[in-house]
Amino acid sequence: MAKKMQSEEAQRNTSFRVFEYGCLSPLANEDIALEQMRKRNEFWNRLVSIEGEYRKKSMSLIASERNDTLDNLEGKIADLRDEIDKHRKVALKDVDAFSLVNEVKKLQEDRKILYAEQKMRRKEFIEMNKPAFELIEKERRDAVKKAQAESGLWWCNYDDVLSSYNVARIKAMKEGKELKYHRFDGSGKVSVRCQRGLAIEKVFGSNKHIQIKPIDQTAWDCSIRAERRKMTRSIVKIRVGSDGRDPIWFELPFVMHRPISFECTIRSASVVREKYGNSFRYKLIIITCFSQFAENTADKGAVGIDLGWRRVDDGLRVAYWCDEEGRNGTLTIPNDIIVRFKKVDDLKSIRGRHFNNAKAVLAGWLKDKPTPEWLKGEAKFLYKWNSPSKFKKLLFKWHQKRFPEDQEMVAFIEKYLKRDLHLWQWEFNLRDKIQRRRRELYRIFAAELVKRYSTVFLEKFDLRRVEEESEYGTQGALLSNYHRTIASVSILRNVINSTFSRRGKYILQIEAKNTTMKCHKCGQVEKFDSKRQIFHTCSACDAVWDQDHNAAINILERGLSQKE
Ligand SMILES: [Zn+2]
């Protein structure tokens, strides 16, 4: 009993975390990996057809019930359905449809009761015919076993497909859907599983399922990004089969841009091959689990952090921290990142301009030309269109219903969409890259703090305050709204929260009232224009302080007084 409770306790404190790394071109055994992916696909499709057979058999068994009640119910339900549909159609056209609506409501009620009845009868029937159903179930299991044996897959791979099948079939049954066949288009995955969890150091060693070329632990601390990237380059070997007793490795280089912490254990790992435009790319996904309170929680002091953004000379300040010893510092998004966010924004507005232009050109063209009815209908709300995808849909229809003298416009839309796609990809990639960099910046900041402190105080998340955040950022030429997007203080907050809670550290949310307006030296609360300048002179004690530093001190003090 005690043991069971203990394991439940362990369960509760266990969380899963996913690490994802982009891979470069494979070094060895890509052909074998591809073969496994294709066979996984085949195996899945075979399981889908086994499932289909199983369903057919059990349905026909249910239908074989000679007691006509069930059929009658089915018939009645079908009739009701037709009736409801008929009424619906009429009701839509008829203005005076009030009585019909009520009738439909009544029919729907009846149907509900019939369904419930049917469900009960079915349950009863299954209970009474248990042996027959058990036979079907056994046939299914045998077929699955046979398919597995014939799949030609290394066991981890069939195991992985099987477990997704087992989850999917239950879900499909509950939702009354059928499992879907998958077409093999060259994408897929290979995976390995470590049932009891694999310690990280073994992955960097001689494990028989997955191996990662060790990385110097200091690599991640390197402050130069290019250097860090170079030092964190590694190679992953994932097992895709056996040669006698030896593993056959699928080998790929990758950049381990963030470390897997040593208190984690690996549960499973996959290399995924996915379609990317006209080519394919690989990524490594590692699923780990860790015990939340594994780390030593010795008290290392507290830090107060003021979150909020403000334009400063060297970038966008997003946080100011301060500890009990009076040490303090800031987190600032450097200018080069801000410039790139601006670039993303420019691309977006260029696309917007092209879109509006395309709408105007089409509208003008439609006015001058005799156009078919369908096109008039499609373009009826042209002025309301808000996304290029509307043009895509229109073009698709248009290609099926070409008419004389439409070449010019069709060519124009094609050209527009091609250019938009190009810009969209550019914008998307740039944004993705830049957001990752920001995240990395936030992650490093939080990692530094969690190393040094065991308690963090943050202001309570408060929507009103978020609105007010626009106060902080009116210096400089850019719109404050825009700065808010770049700073994404809520992301920083989440990163800090998750970093501290993951290590079992203490997070306390502090009441935000007056943290900015109160002087930490004398306690005077005064209203002042916080957006005008960073430094403020207290009118009561003449102290001069950086507003954000002042707020961080107030947060720290409030936190300490609450903690005791
Ligand atoms: Zn003062």
Side-chain angles (χ1 to χ4, degrees):
M1 186 66 198
K3 195 165 188 189
K4 190 175 169 240
M5 274 181 63
Q6 208 175 16
S7 79
E8 268 169 15
E9 182 69 20
Q11 207 85 48
R12 200 144 23 98
N13 286 336
T14 300
S15 328
F16 291 92
R17 256 181 99 197
V18 180
F19 293 85
E20 197 182 310
Y21 305 103
C23 298
L24 305 168
S25 296
L27 301 172
N29 291 327
E30 186 180 20
D31 51 340
I32 296 176
L34 275 175
E35 188 60 15
Q36 289 284 305
M37 289 177 199
R38 198 180 55 72
K39 283 181 172 163
R40 278 177 68 122
N41 186 259
E42 268 175 21
F43 183 40
W44 169 265
N45 286 342
R46 203 163 152 190
L47 291 174
V48 173
S49 79
I50 290 170
E51 189 65 16
E53 269 304 302
Y54 166 81
R55 291 266 204 111
K56 228 193 299 173
K57 279 185 199 158
S58 51
M59 285 320 275
S60 74
L61 195 60
I62 288 171
S64 76
E65 189 195 13
R66 297 268 36 104
N67 178 352
D68 289 334
T69 331
L70 209 77
D71 289 342
N72 281 345
L73 290 185
E74 298 273 17
K76 244 189 209 168
I77 289 171
D79 288 349
L80 284 183
R81 255 200 209 124
D82 289 348
E83 193 86 350
I84 289 172
D85 279 355
K86 238 186 283 163
H87 283 188
R88 275 220 186 96
K89 267 178 208 143
V90 180
L92 280 177
K93 283 181 197 151
D94 202 331
V95 187
D96 184 33
F98 192 69
S99 63
L100 275 184
V101 170
N102 276 333
E103 205 169 320
V104 169
K105 266 190 192 151
K106 165 100 186 28
L107 288 176
Q108 281 171 332
E109 282 301 315
D110 290 354
R111 189 172 68 177
K112 221 183 189 171
I113 295 165
L114 286 182
Y115 265 132
E117 225 170 283
Q118 186 199 45
K119 211 174 166 187
M120 236 171 61
R121 281 186 186 282
R122 199 165 270 186
K123 229 178 183 173
E124 245 168 58
F125 180 75
I126 290 172
E127 200 50 48
M128 274 159 55
N129 295 277
K130 229 176 176 179
F133 282 101
E134 276 169 357
L135 185 69
I136 295 174
E137 170 64 8
K138 189 183 173 300
E139 281 170 359
R140 184 189 71 84
R141 281 176 197 265
D142 289 347
V144 168
K145 255 184 218 152
K146 187 156 178 279
Q148 175 190 313
E150 291 168 0
S151 68
L153 286 166
W154 185 56
W155 76 267
C156 273
N157 282 322
Y158 70 60
D159 215 48
D160 196 35
V161 177
L162 262 182
S163 69
S164 7
Y165 159 71
N166 285 327
V167 173
R169 65 182 292 261
I170 300 295
K171 186 164 175 266
M173 267 192 270
K174 271 187 190 149
E175 293 172 355
K177 287 179 188 155
E178 278 176 25
L179 293 182
K180 286 203 180 81
Y181 290 100
H182 292 162
R183 191 175 59 88
F184 185 66
D185 63 353
S187 56
K189 69 172 176 174
V190 290
S191 29
V192 295
R193 223 164 44 124
C194 321
Q195 270 133 332
R196 257 169 287 142
L198 178 67
I200 303 296
E201 54 271 25
K202 293 209 176 121
V203 176
F204 292 114
S206 57
N207 183 262
K208 286 278 166 74
H209 286 178
I210 178 171
Q211 293 181 5
I212 291 173
K213 195 180 117 199
I215 288 169
D216 187 345
Q217 286 299 304
T218 60
W220 290 287
D221 300 332
C222 185
S223 58
I224 304 157
R225 190 163 168 271
E227 194 66 21
R228 200 168 63 236
R229 275 187 78 81
K230 212 165 96 192
M231 284 171 73
T232 52
R233 265 186 90 125
S234 178
I235 291 170
V236 60
K237 294 204 271 183
I238 190 165
R239 186 167 180 172
V240 286
S242 310
D243 179 10
R245 302 196 68 178
D246 296 329
I248 296 175
W249 298 111
F250 176 34
E251 233 178 285
L252 306 105
F254 76 107
V255 175
M256 200 170 195
H257 62 271
R258 65 194 253 242
I260 303 174
S261 49
F262 273 87
E263 63 261 36
C264 295
T265 56
I266 293 185
R267 279 308 172 89
S268 70
S270 318
V271 170
V272 177
R273 186 179 201 247
E274 53 185 14
K275 223 171 176 154
Y276 188 67
N278 296 324
S279 56
F280 288 93
R281 64 180 177 187
Y282 287 100
K283 62 186 181 192
L284 168 65
I285 293 174
I286 297 177
I287 298 176
T288 66
C289 82
F290 61 93
S291 298
Q292 223 149 8
F293 297 100
E295 201 173 311
N296 167 17
T297 50
D299 193 16
K300 284 190 276 187
V303 61
I305 309 176
D306 176 49
L307 298 175
W309 52 269
R310 178 195 298 281
R311 189 80 172 105
V312 290
D313 285 342
D314 53 348
L316 194 63
R317 179 195 281 181
V318 288
Y320 207 114
W321 61 269
C322 174
D323 72 8
E324 292 164 278
E325 314 281 309
R327 282 175 297 219
N328 61 78
T330 61
L331 172 63
T332 303
I333 297 179
N335 280 325
D336 69 303
I337 292 189
I338 293 170
V339 168
R340 275 193 241 182
F341 268 113
K342 178 87 174 57
K343 176 87 197 163
V344 172
D345 224 42
D346 288 349
L347 284 168
K348 202 174 160 191
S349 59
I350 290 170
R351 284 183 60 216
R353 260 197 335 260
H354 288 177
F355 176 60
N356 286 333
N357 178 50
K359 283 205 296 188
V361 171
L362 179 59
W365 190 84
L366 287 172
K367 225 186 269 166
D368 296 344
K369 296 266 157 75
T371 46
E373 277 310 309
W374 72 265
L375 182 54
K376 276 188 197 134
E378 288 294 324
K380 196 174 170 194
F381 295 110
L382 178 64
Y383 64 96
K384 270 189 181 167
W385 285 10
N386 54 9
S387 144
S389 66
K390 299 272 187 188
F391 275 106
K392 224 163 118 184
K393 275 187 207 140
L394 178 71
L395 190 66
F396 183 76
K397 275 214 177 122
W398 203 324
H399 275 307
Q400 291 161 333
K401 303 180 179 184
R402 297 293 300 261
F403 55 90
E405 286 181 54
D406 68 353
Q407 292 92 338
E408 183 196 17
M409 199 57 219
V410 169
F412 172 80
I413 297 177
E414 277 169 351
K415 199 175 150 199
Y416 159 70
L417 282 172
K418 203 175 152 196
R419 191 158 60 164
D420 185 66
L421 179 67
H422 170 73
L423 288 171
W424 177 79
Q425 275 169 342
W426 189 4
E427 180 193 329
F428 178 85
N429 287 335
L430 201 61
R431 179 179 295 124
D432 184 53
K433 225 183 201 167
I434 203 75
Q435 283 177 345
R436 276 176 210 233
R437 256 196 83 187
R438 179 181 61 198
R439 214 185 165 77
E440 180 69 0
L441 208 67
Y442 289 0
R443 195 191 61 72
I444 291 171
F445 176 71
E448 273 306 311
L449 291 178
V450 84
K451 249 189 255 170
R452 275 186 270 168
Y453 305 104
S454 48
T455 303
V456 62
F457 302 128
L458 297 169
E459 274 178 327
K460 254 193 199 130
F461 185 66
D462 181 351
L463 269 178
R464 186 176 44 84
R465 180 62 209 265
V466 173
E467 291 302 316
E468 278 171 17
E469 267 176 26
S470 53
E471 274 181 20
Y472 290 75
T474 42
Q475 293 182 16
L478 291 168
L479 292 171
S480 57
N481 215 352
Y482 178 70
H483 276 146
R484 180 157 60 198
T485 320
I486 298 179
S488 271
V489 172
S490 56
I491 292 179
L492 177 56
R493 168 183 286 275
N494 287 341
V495 170
I496 294 172
N497 268 330
S498 70
T499 307
F500 274 76
S501 63
R502 217 163 49 224
R503 313 265 176 124
K505 303 288 181 79
Y506 197 60
I507 307 161
L508 193 61
Q509 313 282 342
I510 304 301
E511 208 59 60
K513 195 167 177 282
N514 288 338
T515 44
T516 323
M517 301 300 178
K518 184 180 150 195
C519 170
H520 69 273
K521 286 249 162 78
C522 69
Q524 157 98 346
V525 176
E526 60 182 340
K527 281 227 174 294
F528 58 89
D529 189 359
S530 61
K531 63 191 169 191
R532 292 279 303 274
Q533 71 281 85
I534 296 185
F535 287 97
H536 174 72
T537 311
C538 174
S539 64
C541 73
D542 277 341
V544 180
W545 32 253
D546 181 311
Q547 283 181 52
D548 301 333
H549 186 190
N550 180 59
I553 295 172
N554 284 332
I555 289 166
L556 178 73
E557 281 176 356
R558 207 168 287 179
L560 289 171
S561 72
Q562 277 181 30
K563 202 185 162 196
E564 252 91 74

